[in-house]
Amino acid sequence: IGTNASQAAVNAANGETPIVFNAVTDAVEAKLVDSNEKPGANVTGVSDAAPLEKQLEMIREFLPEAKTIGMIYNIGEVNGKIQVEQVEKLAPNYGFSVEKKGIGATTDVATAAEQLSSSVDCIYNITDNMVVGATASITDKANAKKIPVFAAEDGQMKAGLLASDSISYEKLGKQAGGVIFDILVNGKKPGEIPVETAKETTLYINQKIAEALGIISLAIIIR
């Protein structure tokens, strides 16, 4: 589960043991598979690539006048870098620019959030393990300055996030279970099973945070 753990497992298995990964944003970039359609070797799995365009559309609906999105990512994890690059490419289509802060340790998160909260209109938390684990530090700094924090997944909603059009890691786990079943029971080869992605999302809104920030009438966004 996760890019770094999956890379370690694949290296250790050396092609001998079937590997089914989960919660890997870009398995090709992480060099886990040859392609998502035909993984090759003895590896396949499920990607937690966030539906970034849907997320940007959500942010625009909440913040019609916003111009700049802040993003924090772990410089030691390829997963985070990829997501930042993807958002940077898509953001102009929705009238946004991106200001990013790379961090090397959890202790850097609060400082990065403090700096971003002084120069952006909102912060978007990606599915970067270090960032997700420090969500409370980010929302603490951001919400104090009336800067809303959005996220790719809903696991930290109670930590002060405003909203997430979220992928479900529970459902991703069930998808991975189906892949494992195909390998162990149906005799399929991992390298011949395409990498799967999240099939649906759910919109979550923290009404308490929305009211505290005075951002919207929730009727506008619920759909």
Side-chain angles (χ1 to χ4, degrees), residues 28 43-44 48 72 91 93 118-119 133 136 145 148 153 157 159 180-181 186:
V28 176
V43 182
T44 190
D48 66 342
I72 301 172
N93 297 335
S118 298
S119 58
K145 294 188 176 181
E153 54 95 12
M157 287 299 296
I180 293 168
F181 185 88
N186 295 332

Side-chain angles (χ1 to χ4, degrees), residues 98-179:
V98 174
E99 184 174 334
K100 58 190 177 183
K101 294 287 184 182
I103 57 172
T106 303
T107 52
D108 299 331
V109 172
T111 299
E114 179 79 28
Q115 293 172 342
L116 285 176
S117 297
S118 298
S119 58
V120 302
D121 298 305
C122 66
I123 293 175
Y124 173 52
N125 271 17
I126 53 179
T127 56
D128 179 302
N129 294 319
M130 186 179 291
V131 171
V132 172
T135 296
S137 294
I138 296 171
T139 55
D140 179 61
K141 298 296 183 182
N143 289 341
K145 294 188 176 181
K146 300 294 185 180
I147 300 298
V149 183
F150 300 90
E153 54 95 12
D154 68 301
Q156 299 290 325
M157 287 299 296
K158 292 182 179 180
L161 297 171
L162 171 60
S164 173
D165 205 346
S166 178
I167 56 179
S168 167
Y169 281 97
E170 179 181 357
K171 291 177 181 177
L172 288 179
K174 290 179 179 179
Q175 284 183 240
V179 174

Side-chain angles (χ1 to χ4, degrees), residues 17 179 203:
T17 304
V179 174
L203 178 64

Side-chain angles (χ1 to χ4, degrees), residues 20 32 49 68 71 94 108 115 119 149 161 173 180 187 214 219 222-223:
V20 176
L32 296 174
T68 308
M71 299 183 72
Y94 296 86
D108 299 331
Q115 293 172 342
S119 58
V149 183
L161 297 171
I180 293 168
I222 292 175
R223 57 180 183 270

Side-chain angles (χ1 to χ4, degrees), residues 2-209:
T3 300
N4 292 347
S6 298
Q7 289 171 325
V10 169
N11 290 335
N14 199 28
E16 296 179 2
T17 304
I19 301 292
V20 176
F21 59 77
N22 205 338
V24 172
T25 298
D26 191 328
V28 176
E29 185 70 24
K31 303 188 186 309
L32 296 174
V33 299
D34 296 333
S35 73
N36 289 325
E37 295 74 23
K38 296 182 178 180
N42 211 10
V43 182
T44 190
V46 181
S47 169
D48 66 342
L52 297 178
E53 292 196 68
K54 184 177 289 189
Q55 307 280 4
L56 290 170
E57 180 182 347
M58 173 192 68
I59 294 172
R60 178 51 73 201
E61 288 188 64
F62 272 92
L63 305 175
E65 306 299 324
K67 296 180 179 179
T68 308
I69 297 174
M71 299 183 72
I72 301 172
Y73 69 100
N74 176 8
I75 59 175
E77 185 176 344
V78 66
N79 165 41
K81 295 178 184 178
I82 292 168
Q83 291 179 75
V84 171
E85 291 171 357
Q86 291 173 335
V87 172
E88 285 180 314
K89 291 179 181 178
L90 292 169
N93 297 335
Y94 296 86
F96 294 119
S97 61
V98 174
E99 184 174 334
K100 58 190 177 183
K101 294 287 184 182
I103 57 172
T106 303
T107 52
D108 299 331
V109 172
T111 299
E114 179 79 28
Q115 293 172 342
L116 285 176
S117 297
S118 298
S119 58
V120 302
D121 298 305
C122 66
I123 293 175
Y124 173 52
N125 271 17
I126 53 179
T127 56
D128 179 302
N129 294 319
M130 186 179 291
V131 171
V132 172
T135 296
S137 294
I138 296 171
T139 55
D140 179 61
K141 298 296 183 182
N143 289 341
K145 294 188 176 181
K146 300 294 185 180
I147 300 298
V149 183
F150 300 90
E153 54 95 12
D154 68 301
Q156 299 290 325
M157 287 299 296
K158 292 182 179 180
L161 297 171
L162 171 60
S164 173
D165 205 346
S166 178
I167 56 179
S168 167
Y169 281 97
E170 179 181 357
K171 291 177 181 177
L172 288 179
K174 290 179 179 179
Q175 284 183 240
V179 174
I180 293 168
F181 185 88
D182 276 343
I183 294 169
L184 297 182
V185 179
N186 295 332
K188 292 186 179 180
K189 296 180 179 180
E192 297 175 357
I193 302 174
V195 174
E196 296 188 14
T197 57
K199 295 177 180 178
E200 58 185 272
T201 62
T202 302
L203 178 64
Y204 294 89
I205 301 170
N206 187 328
Q207 185 170 351
K208 180 179 179 180
I209 296 299

